Amino acid sequence: MVDPRRTALYETHQALGASCIDFGGWEMPVQYSGIVDEHRAVREACGLFDISHMGELMVGGARAAEFLDHALTNTASKLDVGDAQYSLMCNDRGGVLDDLYVYRIAKEVYLLVVNASRIAEDLAELQRLVAEFESTRTVNVVDESDNLSAVAVQGPHVNRFVSQLFTMSGLIAVERPTALEKNQIDAFIFEGKDVYVSRTGYTGQDGFELIAPNEIITILWERLMELGSDHGIKPAGLGARDTLRMEMGYPLYGHELSEGVSPLEAGLGFFVDMEKSFRGRGELGFQKKEGVTRRNMAFAMTAKSPPPREGYTVWIGDEEIGVVTSGTQSPSLQTGIGMAYINQPHAKRGTEIEIEIRGRRFPAELRKKPLYQKT
Amino acid sequence: MSSIPDNLKYTASHEWIRIEGDTAVVGITDHAQAELTDIVYVELPEVGRTLAVGEGCGVVESVKTASDLYAPIAGEITEINSALEDAPEQVNESPYDEGWFFKLKLSGEPDLSGALDAAGYASQIGES
């Protein structure tokens, strides 16, 4: 057992009284003031997350766009400089190797933000694909994860103060972070270093993700806490990150996604461009034509019950029709919610199901994602 | 620092015991509720069930996780705190009072040989 790794913000979390857990080989804060309190801060004001464990891979070169179109399900070549998209990397059988965000930060340079637990696999796979893609090696894949840290600042109050971090306009296009549209990125100077700021997140709220060199992340965190102090900012841990993403029906690798499931089964067909050739396209084309045999669906409990959890069995009458992949008590909806793989033909909104919890069954209903709607 | 009243006995699995004549009242400690945070569901044993020391007898669920509850002392369940069914947050708000879990009728003299006193529990959780 190797010791878990710590982010550059570890001391900061300790000073804030965080309790930490192992997540993908990293010792990360699970909560500070409490999951529900932090969850509400993000929905109603603002929360600040350390997401430094996530991986950053730079893909550059004259044929980088073309290469990523080949390696990933979504079409990176369609992005303008300063734009971003959600995408997936599949194996030959159409199984998900990772889900990631692709940012075009220059005409011939892409930044890929990948899951902490998948950095090594993604890097090896991309390098193998590069070798397969071309013999001249004009595409480079470089792992910058050890040099870069990242934070997410999320919530309806964030746009009131985030732009005060920077005195100069962005290096790509916009004047200030709040001028970014959803899924746009720019670089700003902070403490003499480049900080990438994107209007993206994993909470369902407006917000930004900031990627910065390790040596300035602590001062960036402290500055954000300072600027946000009049706007209800709270540090938020992986516990709240998990409940927030579940209310939105966002997948988490290792739960909804794995090498054994396809993006179509996961309900992510929107991010698979079948008009192009890419790795796994053959199997996904077949699945699209024939239809998938199971599909990931959101559900909500319809009566009082313990919170649903990963691994619980889903029933309709005497038929076992699926398994829960994530579940919790929703702080916003005040009821048990989750996601589950549901066998066809049952994966339809409105279908009444039962979740088995410690030998007893509790009623639930399949619902449209997201479960939480902004008011 | 969490609250650890001197008049209670404790277990390493974070239950507390209060002896009232031939009855033992059981709950979980302030430290346990703080670690769990946001308790959203409590599953308690049925009245009439006889429990041995260390027997699994319920589940406490927080937003994050489900934790098993163990009988800290042997006896028969005479009463459960049914208020927790609709207000599980009472365990967070008042772990030693409103947030009690169940009462056990003791079969003889209470055997607390395996239990910790307040100082022992404080040391167990690193707060001595």
Side-chain angles (χ1 to χ4, degrees):
Chain A
M1 186 71 197
V2 284
D3 285 338
R5 300 178 62 189
R6 290 171 174 177
T7 74
L9 286 164
Y10 181 78
E11 307 290 329
T12 307
H13 303 319
Q14 291 294 104
L16 287 164
S19 41
C20 291
I21 52 158
D22 180 277
F23 182 83
W26 291 80
E27 191 174 353
M28 297 298 293
V30 62
Q31 62 180 23
Y32 304 81
S33 55
I35 294 172
V36 173
D37 187 55
E38 295 161 28
H39 181 111
R40 294 212 171 107
V42 173
R43 289 274 180 255
E44 291 158 16
C46 173
L48 181 59
F49 300 83
D50 179 10
I51 55 167
S52 301
H53 59 305
M54 298 201 73
E56 293 87 9
L57 306 177
M58 296 287 182
V59 179
R63 297 181 69 201
E66 201 185 329
F67 167 70
L68 288 175
D69 282 355
H70 166 70
L72 307 176
T73 60
N74 211 339
T75 312
S77 62
K78 282 185 184 166
L79 293 173
D80 290 326
V81 174
D83 283 349
Q85 67 188 192
Y86 178 73
S87 194
L88 299 114
M89 180 157 60
C90 288
N91 60 29
D92 289 330
R93 300 176 311 282
V96 178
L97 289 167
D98 203 0
D99 67 326
L100 62 155
Y101 240 85
V102 179
Y103 300 89
R104 191 169 201 170
I105 55 176
K107 187 167 182 296
E108 294 181 358
V109 185
Y110 288 84
L111 162 65
L112 274 45
V113 175
V114 307
N115 283 296
S117 61
R118 304 299 290 174
I119 299 171
E121 285 85 352
D122 291 352
L123 185 64
E125 194 60 23
L126 286 168
Q127 283 170 339
R128 201 183 62 74
L129 287 173
V130 167
E132 206 177 81
F133 179 71
E134 56 163 28
S135 49
T136 47
R137 309 286 174 96
T138 60
V139 176
N140 289 306
V141 183
V142 180
D143 179 10
E144 289 289 344
S145 308
D146 286 346
N147 306 320
L148 296 174
S149 293
V151 297
V153 60
Q154 304 272 300
H157 292 180
V158 175
N159 60 5
R160 298 183 188 171
F161 63 86
V162 72
S163 292
Q164 293 170 42
L165 277 174
F166 311 107
T167 51
M168 283 180 283
S169 56
L171 305 176
I172 298 175
V174 300
E175 217 169 282
R176 56 186 183 281
T178 47
L180 291 166
E181 286 172 29
K182 190 170 162 54
N183 281 341
Q184 283 192 328
I185 188 169
D186 206 331
F188 296 86
I189 305 290
F190 181 81
E191 295 286 311
K193 309 270 186 198
D194 287 10
V195 174
Y196 283 105
V197 180
S198 64
R199 201 158 198 161
T200 49
Y202 194 47
T203 61
Q205 298 297 146
D206 186 17
F208 299 83
E209 292 173 306
L210 295 86
I211 300 172
N214 295 340
E215 55 269 29
I216 60 162
I217 199 70
T218 305
I219 178 158
L220 183 66
W221 172 285
E222 281 164 4
R223 188 86 183 107
L224 279 165
M225 287 295 288
E226 215 172 276
L227 290 171
S229 63
D230 288 341
H231 306 283
I233 198 169
K234 284 189 179 176
L238 291 183
R241 191 167 162 81
D242 205 35
T243 52
L244 288 157
R245 68 102 191 162
M246 279 189 235
E247 288 182 351
M248 297 308 294
Y250 295 155
L252 175 61
Y253 199 86
H255 300 261
E256 286 70 37
L257 301 175
S258 71
E259 292 188 41
V261 306
S262 83
L264 303 182
E265 291 174 318
L268 300 170
F270 182 78
F271 307 100
V272 178
D273 180 358
M274 299 299 260
E275 304 300 309
K276 64 170 179 126
S277 158
F278 60 90
R279 186 147 183 255
R281 165 75 177 77
E283 173 60 26
L284 295 184
F286 177 79
Q287 284 185 12
K288 182 140 191 168
K289 192 158 135 272
E290 299 293 313
V292 292
T293 57
R294 58 179 176 166
R295 194 179 152 97
N296 198 270
M297 299 287 292
F299 66 85
M301 307 307 293
T302 49
K304 192 169 180 57
S305 82
R309 309 278 184 195
E310 182 176 6
Y312 290 175
T313 304
V314 183
W315 297 86
I316 292 180
D318 291 336
E319 196 186 347
E320 189 178 322
I321 59 135
V323 63
V324 175
T325 50
S326 293
T328 192
Q329 179 82 5
S330 161
S332 304
L333 307 172
Q334 301 271 307
T335 186
I337 61 161
M339 286 178 267
Y341 273 104
I342 303 291
N343 298 336
Q344 293 295 20
H346 304 293
K348 282 192 285 282
R349 286 170 207 166
T351 302
E352 287 176 16
I353 57 170
E354 285 181 311
I355 311 281
E356 184 181 330
I357 304 175
R358 295 187 285 275
R360 289 165 64 200
R361 294 189 192 173
F362 296 87
E365 186 186 77
L366 298 181
R367 299 258 174 95
K368 184 179 191 293
K369 295 176 186 177
L371 292 163
Y372 172 80
Q373 307 279 354
K374 264 180 271 186
T375 47
Chain B
M1 293 292 278
S2 56
S3 157
I4 309 173
D6 280 334
N7 61 330
L8 305 178
K9 296 289 185 181
Y10 300 89
T11 67
S13 50
H14 310 291
E15 289 91 9
W16 56 258
I17 310 150
R18 186 169 65 232
I19 304 295
E20 294 175 350
D22 65 351
T23 296
V25 188
V26 174
I28 64 167
T29 65
D30 186 37
H31 172 73
Q33 72 74 21
E35 285 292 304
L36 289 168
T37 72
D38 308 321
I39 291 167
V40 293
Y41 195 88
V42 179
E43 205 164 282
L44 295 172
E46 279 173 33
V47 171
R49 187 173 153 194
T50 303
L51 296 172
V53 176
E55 194 175 338
C57 58
V59 181
V60 185
E61 300 231 28
S62 65
V63 170
K64 187 73 189 162
T65 190
S67 310
D68 290 324
L69 189 65
Y70 301 96
I73 191 165
E76 185 190 325
I77 301 284
T78 54
E79 195 181 342
I80 58 173
N81 184 0
S82 44
L84 298 183
E85 201 174 306
D86 290 319
E89 66 276 7
Q90 283 186 5
V91 180
N92 291 120
E93 290 158 7
S94 175
Y96 298 114
D97 192 18
E98 304 289 312
W100 65 279
F101 281 10
F102 53 80
K103 293 182 182 176
L104 287 163
K105 188 176 188 317
L106 304 170
S107 41
E109 276 300 296
D111 176 14
L112 291 165
S113 54
L116 301 162
D117 62 10
Y121 182 68
S123 143
Q124 170 83 31
I125 60 171
E127 288 191 3
S128 59

